[in-house]
Amino acid sequence: MPYTKEHKTQSRERILASAITLFSRQGYDSVTLDMLMTHAGMTRGAFYNHFDSKQELYSEAMISAALTSPIAEETPEDIDSIEHLHNIVEAYLSQAHLQEPDNPCLMAFMVTDVANNEPEVRKTYTHIFKRMSHRMANLMESSNAREPQNALALAALMIGGVAVCRTFSDDKLADEVLSACRALAASVIDAE
Amino acid sequence: MPYTKEHKTQSRERILASAITLFSRQGYDSVTLDMLMTHAGMTRGAFYNHFDSKQELYSEAMISAALTSPIAEETPEDIDSIEHLHNIVEAYLSQAHLQEPDNPCLMAFMVTDVANNEPEVRKTYTHIFKRMSHRMANLMESSNAREPQNALALAALMIGGVAVCRTFSDDKLADEVLSACRALAASVIDAE
DNA sequence: GTCTATAGAAAGATAGAC
DNA sequence: GTCTATCTTTCTATAGAC
């Protein structure tokens, strides 16, 4: 047998990684299967051995990106959870995250895209949003009496800040908006 | 002459109105010129008598939507500017705005869409965002010492809240997020 | 100015060889 | 499992009649 099971798994991973990169760079519709598979080091025809349709890849790519997101990572032993959350927010609302990051947050890069797509994709987005805000609510727990509500607004602010700044043709404005969002986010985290 | 200048202007307005409705409903790429012109009561071929390309329509539609936005409206004589801003935010972050409104905010409904588009479209978006946040900063002036920065974060929060809730397949979650964003927005407006 | 008809260029998905 | 070749559909944009 020339192709092992492991080989197939690796191909699938490469497709998913390419999808995250290309979708975040130019959106779902603009990425063709040809582009995608070339980026992953294969040709168009091989795609359907891994996914039933382009739509299915959409959901899978969002899940894959969420699993490797810094927000999902464990809090290091040596810092407390509030400090950890501050660090997450600083990194999320940064210029580095806007410009071709390794781990782009598809929640922010593709909000509108998802809203216009099939129910299955929207369901996946909704699920990931819940996980993301629950995680942040947990990290807030020690300082914050109304953490569930604050975590929801914080998630919307983070996603909105990144999504909006990515559209700008004006880097200075992006810096100002990111900075304003970081300040507001910090005050939400530290609110009693 | 069977067609007056006024008739042409009216046709153009109908196309713009249809664009705002359809773009906000299903995104830029998914709206075909056929769909658009049928919705506007004409056929495909007539489109190019009004716009050079679909892309040009994109920018024009965003401008048109911004000009008729409630945020751009004058403050009524009988209420003060802070109260007016609260009203704007309440209406913006509402279920009614999410579901097929007359005046959908394309800034929120199309953020991601725009980010993946041509520089011209992004420039238009950037310009409108500045207008929107300046307007809100002015309305905040009387209560708020750091209004320029707060207005930027407020705009990002509003756009993020609406964009995110529109993707959800879960109405209850959308209600919770909208409510959390309204609460945070109100605290930003009233901050000293 | 608006119409119908069509050119011309993709794209998603499938078929069959290796 | 991956390849090349192709079917089929769809879309933007143009041409020319009225």
Side-chain angles (χ1 to χ4, degrees):
Chain A
M1 188 153 88
Y3 294 107
T4 64
K5 195 167 185 176
E6 196 174 352
H7 178 253
K8 178 164 182 178
T9 304
Q10 286 176 355
S11 293
R12 189 189 148 97
E13 289 303 318
R14 286 214 314 280
I15 296 174
L16 282 170
S18 295
I20 293 171
T21 302
L22 296 180
F23 285 170
S24 71
R25 195 181 292 169
Q26 41 181 297
Y28 174 77
D29 284 326
S30 304
V31 175
T32 69
L33 294 183
D34 205 5
M35 236 182 258
L36 174 81
M37 293 302 282
T38 301
H39 189 274
M42 283 164 279
T43 57
R44 210 172 32 242
F47 176 80
Y48 294 91
N49 254 297
H50 299 278
F51 301 94
D52 286 342
S53 68
K54 196 186 171 188
Q55 294 258 350
E56 189 196 319
L57 172 66
Y58 201 165
S59 290
E60 296 294 325
M62 282 199 297
I63 293 170
S64 176
L67 291 175
T68 57
S69 161
I71 302 177
E73 280 172 22
E74 288 288 313
T75 304
E77 295 276 339
D78 55 335
I79 64 173
D80 73 10
S81 65
I82 294 296
E83 190 183 341
H84 185 210
L85 183 54
H86 277 294
N87 291 343
I88 287 172
V89 169
E90 291 284 316
Y92 194 100
L93 289 165
S94 71
Q95 277 285 353
H97 187 201
L98 293 187
Q99 332 235 333
E100 300 271 333
D102 291 334
N103 274 319
C105 179
L106 297 190
M107 304 296 287
F109 282 54
M110 305 188 78
V111 222
T112 294
D113 234 297
V114 173
N116 300 322
N117 219 289
E118 297 300 305
E120 184 62 31
V121 179
R122 297 175 57 199
K123 221 171 137 181
T124 303
Y125 187 97
T126 307
H127 180 72
I128 297 174
F129 183 91
K130 283 180 185 169
R131 296 267 299 225
M132 174 181 173
S133 56
H134 283 160
R135 170 74 174 137
M136 295 202 297
N138 284 338
L139 291 173
M140 260 192 246
E141 207 163 13
S142 56
S143 82
N144 207 309
R146 284 160 58 250
E147 66 274 358
Q149 194 186 11
N150 281 339
L152 294 178
L154 178 59
L157 175 65
M158 290 165 66
I159 291 172
V162 167
V164 151
C165 288
R166 243 180 69 80
T167 71
F168 293 155
S169 56
D170 178 337
D171 282 347
K172 191 165 152 287
L173 181 63
D175 276 334
E176 288 171 8
V177 173
L178 286 177
S179 154
C181 289
R182 284 196 301 268
L184 180 56
S187 79
V188 172
I189 296 171
D190 294 329
E192 350 155 358
Chain B
M1 187 153 87
Y3 293 106
T4 65
K5 195 167 185 176
E6 195 175 351
H7 178 253
K8 176 163 183 180
T9 305
Q10 285 175 356
S11 293
R12 189 189 147 96
E13 290 302 319
R14 287 214 313 281
I15 296 174
L16 282 170
S18 295
I20 294 171
T21 302
L22 296 180
F23 285 169
S24 71
R25 196 180 290 169
Q26 40 182 296
Y28 175 76
D29 284 325
S30 305
V31 175
T32 69
L33 293 183
D34 203 6
M35 237 181 261
L36 174 80
M37 293 302 282
T38 302
H39 188 274
M42 282 163 280
T43 57
R44 209 172 32 239
F47 177 80
Y48 293 91
N49 253 295
H50 299 279
F51 302 93
D52 286 342
S53 68
K54 195 185 172 189
Q55 295 258 351
E56 189 196 319
L57 172 67
Y58 201 164
S59 289
E60 295 294 325
M62 282 200 298
I63 293 170
S64 176
L67 291 175
T68 57
S69 160
I71 302 177
E73 279 171 22
E74 287 288 313
T75 304
E77 296 275 341
D78 56 335
I79 64 174
D80 73 12
S81 65
I82 294 295
E83 190 183 341
H84 186 210
L85 183 54
H86 276 295
N87 291 343
I88 287 172
V89 170
E90 291 284 316
Y92 195 99
L93 289 166
S94 71
Q95 276 285 351
H97 188 202
L98 293 187
Q99 334 235 330
E100 300 271 336
D102 291 334
N103 274 320
C105 177
L106 297 191
M107 305 295 286
F109 282 53
M110 305 188 77
V111 221
T112 295
D113 236 297
V114 173
N116 301 322
N117 219 289
E118 298 301 305
E120 185 61 33
V121 179
R122 297 175 59 200
K123 219 171 137 182
T124 303
Y125 187 97
T126 307
H127 180 72
I128 297 174
F129 184 92
K130 283 179 184 168
R131 297 267 298 225
M132 173 181 172
S133 56
H134 283 163
R135 171 73 175 137
M136 296 202 297
N138 284 338
L139 290 173
M140 261 191 247
E141 207 164 13
S142 56
S143 81
N144 208 309
R146 284 160 58 248
E147 66 274 358
Q149 193 184 13
N150 281 339
L152 294 178
L154 179 59
L157 175 66
M158 289 165 68
I159 291 172
V162 167
V164 150
C165 287
R166 244 181 68 81
T167 71
F168 292 156
S169 55
D170 178 336
D171 281 347
K172 191 165 153 287
L173 180 63
D175 277 334
E176 287 170 10
V177 172
L178 285 177
S179 155
C181 289
R182 283 196 302 268
L184 180 56
S187 80
V188 171
I189 297 171
D190 294 329
E192 354 155 357

